[in-house]
Amino acid sequence: MIRMSEPILEIVNLRKYFPIMGGVLLRQVSAIHAVDGVSFDIKHGETLGLVGESGCGKTTLSRVVLRLIEPTSGTVRYMGRDLFELSEKEMRKLRLEMAMIFQDPYASLNPRMTLADIVGEPLTIHGLARGEERKKRIIEVVKKVGLAPFHMYRYPHEFSGGEKQRIGIARTLTSNPKLLVADEPVSSLDVSVRAQILNLLKDLQEEFRFTYLYISHDLSTVKHMCDRVAVMYVGKVVELAPVKDLYINPLHPYTEALISAIPVPGRRAGENRIILKGAVPTPIDPPPGCRFNPRCPYSEPICAKEDPKFIEVRKGHFVACHLRK
Amino acid sequence: MSESLLRVNDLKTYFFTAEGVVKAVDNVNIEIKKEEVLGLVGESGCGKSTVALSVMRLVRDPGKIVGGEIWFNGEDLLKKGEGEMRKIRGAEISIIFQNPMSSLNPVFTVGSQIAEAIKLHQNVEKDKIKGKVAEILGKVGIPDPPKRMEDYPHEYSGGMAQRAMIAMALSCNPKLLIADEPTTNLDVTIQAQILELMKDLRKDFGASILLIGHDLGVISELSDKIAVMYAGKVVEYSDLTGIFQKPMHPYTQALLESIPRLDVETDRLRIIPGRVPRLINPPSGCRFHSRCEHTMKVCTEKEPLLTEVGQDHMVACHLHTSDSKSSNRRR
């Protein structure tokens, strides 16, 4: 039996730099520090939210975690096994247990394949089922996500955005995964459709005991979906806490600003809204010390010199900030 | 304050496509008073952007304004010739779009693009134009304007490009600013900056704003009045309290309950069954009837009209109109 409190995924000091080539000889002149020393665990059956603004490295992190791209350094252990030491073949087998739901259902479905082809493809690739059994399994999955069997031979363009996202989810279900990485699964959908998909993701988690890594920039949705939340800023995780803790008592100045910046329906922001100066720095040449220090309202001299350590200041509440020692 | 600046009466904008006539905007009435901000909300395809383009008279083929009146400052814009409209666009009514990067021309400097608007609409001496451009860029919070105005759009970040667009839109002191999803592509912290900027500018410039968007949070930040659109029609109109505390239309109610909110704990979100109808063949009667939980017989037969239900609160729903209440009891 798997114990719920044990991690399904352990990320240790993970880095991913993308080289920038330049000069006459096209040598590496610099690098994009997309993910720069990230460590955290995901427990069995939980939903871990990963939030941050565009370019903070959250999508790169999700790709490295599934080993869709190779890391520069660091370790990712899935149920105790180091992913980067596995051979292609072993990795392929493991991919049955990990799946990804993409942001844009319009771009992530092959327009020349029918719903049945798309959903059944994992069964063929992994040799899981054939013939009648395959068909049975496809119908089962299609029904699970709220589509009807008569939709089976339709092509993606015949579906609405919400239905396309259901297909994207159905495709991940066929192989009985344990860990699902959802990268902005509802951000391209309309408000009323968004609710349908979010509820579906919650229902499926309840039924199949999925573990989710839920990536988004929308803090309202993350609060609704997640048990714990990690906040990323320019390649680093700056805060990690249980969802309630994080929203009620954010410890990192960036998290605080991020939460106060969300417009709440029916209300106007008062004087206490924190408006950050400037924009997110580029990950090519991140600021020295704490990466948030140029925009931080509480910045002190030490912040520009030393990189703050990611420490547990309360039970389960981690933060990387010099002011919170 | 109470004087009306823009009044749209029974506006109909249809798109004549090969598949049929898409009634994108169908009998829409809105009003914006001087110095007021009207928020126009709705899901994609509800016709909110088409309303904006109709006011600017920028609806392109196969779209056509087929009926109604657009009264702006005492004149019907639909009776104006193209030449007259050109004088109004940019000078009296200006618009900012969702994607600032694609609205700026990549081969000209930001400064020269703002200067163009000033040259076209204002009598400013040649040698003073640059100073004016720098002044306005400073007002929207661009650091070091004399230097940054010589930059090309790609040298700006998304937030800065949107600031430049706002500068351009305000450069001729328009009476009406139309902002079509002005912060949709921006990050949360940058969005907060732009909203704050728009709040400040509103005080300085005294322009009325038509703010279009799908995010009820963003709309709440700026709007005095809010109009909710569904499938080409305005279904509810009220102020902030009316829409959020006492929503009357079932669509508004469902919409509010279907969004995850920071200030409310919910385990499951409300789902609006079905999907937004296609506007080639919209449902008879009330366009929301097939997705509504209060549907009555009259809803499928007769179109509900916007009716006053309280001070500054109008709703288009048979549940709240007197004639249907007497003949059709609520279930």
Side-chain angles (χ1 to χ4, degrees):
Chain A
M1 240 346 252
I2 301 158
R3 288 231 308 279
M4 284 290 282
S5 57
E6 271 171 20
I8 183 168
L9 199 77
E10 295 161 78
I11 300 169
V12 186
N13 213 1
L14 194 67
R15 278 170 220 277
K16 175 67 195 178
Y17 298 165
F18 293 100
I20 300 172
M21 304 302 187
V24 211
L25 299 172
L26 281 183
R27 265 190 280 213
Q28 186 178 340
V29 288
S30 181
I32 298 169
H33 302 68
V35 176
D36 205 0
V38 166
S39 307
F40 62 83
D41 293 348
I42 305 179
K43 297 189 189 88
H44 275 285
E46 79 168 340
T47 302
L48 183 94
L50 190 60
V51 296
E53 297 179 273
S54 44
C56 73
K58 52 192 195 300
T59 296
T60 304
L61 180 65
S62 72
R63 308 258 144 120
V64 181
V65 161
L66 294 184
R67 209 180 159 191
L68 297 174
I69 46 179
E70 298 290 324
T72 307
S73 68
T75 321
V76 173
R77 273 192 291 272
Y78 174 77
M79 308 241 251
R81 295 167 78 189
D82 186 343
L83 287 189
F84 306 123
E85 284 182 353
L86 299 178
S87 67
E88 255 318 294
K89 216 171 152 191
E90 289 170 306
M91 191 60 218
R92 181 171 272 218
K93 240 191 211 157
L94 213 55
R95 288 232 163 85
L96 279 172
E97 297 181 14
M98 328 160 109
M100 184 134 180
I101 301 165
F102 294 93
Q103 171 176 3
D104 186 353
Y106 296 84
S108 58
L109 301 176
N110 187 334
R112 293 189 181 80
M113 286 166 81
T114 62
L115 167 57
D117 293 338
I118 292 169
V119 174
E121 203 179 19
L123 297 173
T124 316
I125 288 178
H126 295 287
L128 295 176
R130 260 193 268 165
E132 271 309 301
E133 200 194 329
R134 181 173 183 268
K135 198 172 162 189
K136 231 176 82 194
R137 179 83 186 120
I138 294 171
I139 292 176
E140 191 186 329
V141 168
V142 163
K143 278 188 185 156
K144 269 273 164 324
V145 297
L147 295 169
F150 66 81
H151 286 136
M152 294 242 304
Y153 301 103
R154 290 195 187 168
Y155 289 90
H157 74 266
E158 295 172 81
F159 295 96
S160 68
E163 286 166 341
K164 279 193 192 130
Q165 198 56 295
R166 284 174 196 272
I167 300 172
I169 295 170
R171 160 171 74 181
T172 65
L173 295 182
T174 29
S175 60
N176 283 320
K178 294 197 173 75
L179 174 70
L180 277 172
V181 177
D183 189 358
E184 304 265 12
V186 296
S187 62
S188 64
L189 304 176
D190 254 320
V191 195
S192 67
V193 183
R194 228 174 249 198
Q196 299 174 4
I197 299 296
L198 292 177
N199 282 351
L200 174 66
L201 287 173
K202 277 200 158 186
D203 292 345
L204 292 172
Q205 180 171 41
E206 219 161 88
E207 188 173 349
F208 299 107
R209 303 251 151 256
F210 286 147
T211 306
Y212 286 129
L213 174 58
Y214 188 92
I215 299 167
S216 180
H217 67 279
D218 178 359
L219 281 109
S220 319
T221 316
V222 165
K223 177 171 177 259
H224 177 72
M225 292 297 289
C226 302
D227 303 307
R228 290 192 303 149
V229 181
V231 181
M232 266 187 102
Y233 188 74
V234 200
K236 287 187 181 290
V237 171
V238 294
E239 187 162 3
L240 172 68
V243 73
K244 276 204 179 126
D245 250 12
L246 189 92
Y247 284 83
I248 293 169
N249 191 8
L251 292 179
H252 198 283
Y254 176 63
T255 317
E256 194 188 359
L258 208 57
I259 291 171
S260 93
I262 310 166
V264 175
R267 248 201 259 156
R268 278 200 191 128
E271 302 292 310
N272 48 8
R273 163 169 287 176
I274 305 160
I275 304 283
L276 292 177
K277 298 168 281 177
V280 181
T282 114
I284 296 175
D285 207 2
C290 168
R291 293 181 175 185
F292 187 58
N293 88 77
R295 298 177 80 196
C296 183
Y298 317 110
S299 179
E300 283 179 16
I302 186 178
C303 303
K305 286 182 208 133
E306 245 176 75
D307 198 2
K309 285 200 181 73
F310 192 56
I311 45 170
E312 188 166 10
V313 288
R314 264 206 302 259
K315 198 181 174 333
H317 198 144
F318 296 81
V319 67
C321 177
H322 287 300
L323 303 171
R324 301 288 180 187
K325 267 184 187 157
Chain B
M1 188 72 188
S2 58
E3 218 180 313
S4 163
L5 177 72
L6 179 81
R7 239 208 103 74
V8 174
N9 289 336
D10 298 323
L11 178 71
K12 287 188 182 96
T13 307
Y14 294 173
F15 287 82
F16 297 87
T17 67
E19 277 178 78
V21 182
V22 180
K23 297 176 177 171
V25 172
D26 207 9
N27 280 326
V28 161
N29 294 287
I30 52 171
E31 183 183 18
I32 304 178
K33 298 195 175 103
K34 282 197 174 138
E35 292 180 33
E36 187 180 70
V37 180
L38 175 73
L40 195 58
V41 279
E43 297 179 88
S44 46
C46 74
K48 53 192 192 301
S49 292
T50 308
V51 170
L53 292 176
S54 302
V55 171
M56 291 291 272
R57 292 264 314 272
L58 285 173
V59 180
R60 291 218 191 124
D61 263 352
K64 233 177 157 178
I65 300 173
V66 294
E69 294 163 340
I70 298 174
W71 290 94
F72 173 73
N73 221 9
E75 294 176 287
D76 187 355
L77 294 184
L78 295 184
K79 296 214 168 74
K80 298 253 175 217
E82 184 53 30
E84 287 172 290
M85 268 321 287
R86 287 189 135 211
K87 280 191 193 130
I88 292 173
R89 283 184 210 126
E92 297 190 44
I93 309 177
S94 55
I95 187 163
I96 44 178
F97 295 100
Q98 182 180 140
N99 192 344
M101 280 304 177
S102 62
S103 311
L104 288 165
N105 190 329
V107 300
F108 292 101
T109 62
V110 173
S112 70
Q113 295 183 53
I114 297 172
E116 194 187 351
I118 297 172
K119 267 184 238 164
L120 270 175
H121 296 295
Q122 284 184 322
N123 256 330
V124 179
E125 283 166 53
K126 240 185 176 171
D127 51 330
K128 288 200 179 124
I129 289 180
K130 275 205 166 169
K132 177 122 195 178
V133 171
E135 182 197 321
I136 191 125
L137 280 175
K139 268 193 189 152
V140 298
I142 301 274
D144 195 6
K147 186 167 160 273
R148 295 309 302 256
M149 62 190 269
E150 306 296 335
D151 283 353
Y152 288 88
H154 75 268
E155 295 170 89
Y156 275 36
S157 66
M160 280 185 36
Q162 195 57 291
R163 283 174 194 268
M165 286 303 297
I166 293 173
M168 194 187 295
L170 294 178
S171 61
C172 301
N173 290 313
K175 295 191 181 76
L176 176 67
L177 173 68
I178 301 176
D180 191 355
E181 307 254 10
T183 62
T184 303
N185 272 340
L186 305 174
D187 272 319
V188 202
T189 58
I190 309 298
Q191 169 171 286
Q193 290 174 358
I194 298 290
L195 289 175
E196 202 59 26
L197 172 70
M198 288 182 71
K199 269 185 213 169
D200 290 345
L201 292 175
R202 200 193 146 185
K203 282 182 217 141
D204 293 356
F205 285 78
S208 305
I209 302 176
L210 174 60
L211 178 67
I212 296 171
H214 69 279
D215 185 326
L216 290 158
V218 172
I219 294 283
S220 311
E221 288 286 328
L222 279 170
S223 309
D224 300 310
K225 299 280 162 48
I226 294 171
V228 181
M229 275 189 85
Y230 181 78
K233 303 215 174 259
V234 172
V235 295
E236 188 157 5
Y237 167 88
S238 185
D239 53 18
L240 210 58
T241 351
I243 293 288
F244 290 97
Q245 313 295 329
K246 288 173 280 180
M248 304 279 257
H249 198 283
Y251 175 65
T252 317
Q253 291 167 353
L255 198 63
L256 288 174
E257 284 169 34
S258 70
I259 44 175
R261 294 169 61 157
L262 274 188
D263 53 341
V264 185
E265 279 301 323
T266 36
D267 189 38
R268 291 184 62 84
L269 299 167
R270 166 125 176 222
I271 283 179
I272 307 176
R275 57 161 110 165
V276 180
R278 298 189 61 198
L279 296 180
I280 286 188
N281 214 337
S284 60
C286 171
R287 291 186 175 183
F288 190 59
H289 83 251
S290 58
R291 306 176 74 191
C292 182
E293 52 178 17
H294 305 291
T295 313
M296 305 174 289
K297 197 163 159 267
V298 62
C299 301
T300 59
E301 292 159 355
K302 201 173 134 204
E303 191 193 318
L305 298 173
L306 262 186
T307 322
E308 192 121 24
V309 287
Q311 209 202 337
D312 274 336
H313 200 151
M314 289 163 94
V315 63
C317 175
H318 288 304
L319 290 173
H320 304 290
T321 47
S322 48
D323 60 316
S324 51
K325 250 183 202 161
S326 49
S327 62
N328 244 308
R329 288 266 160 240
R330 241 174 115 161
R331 281 186 301 179

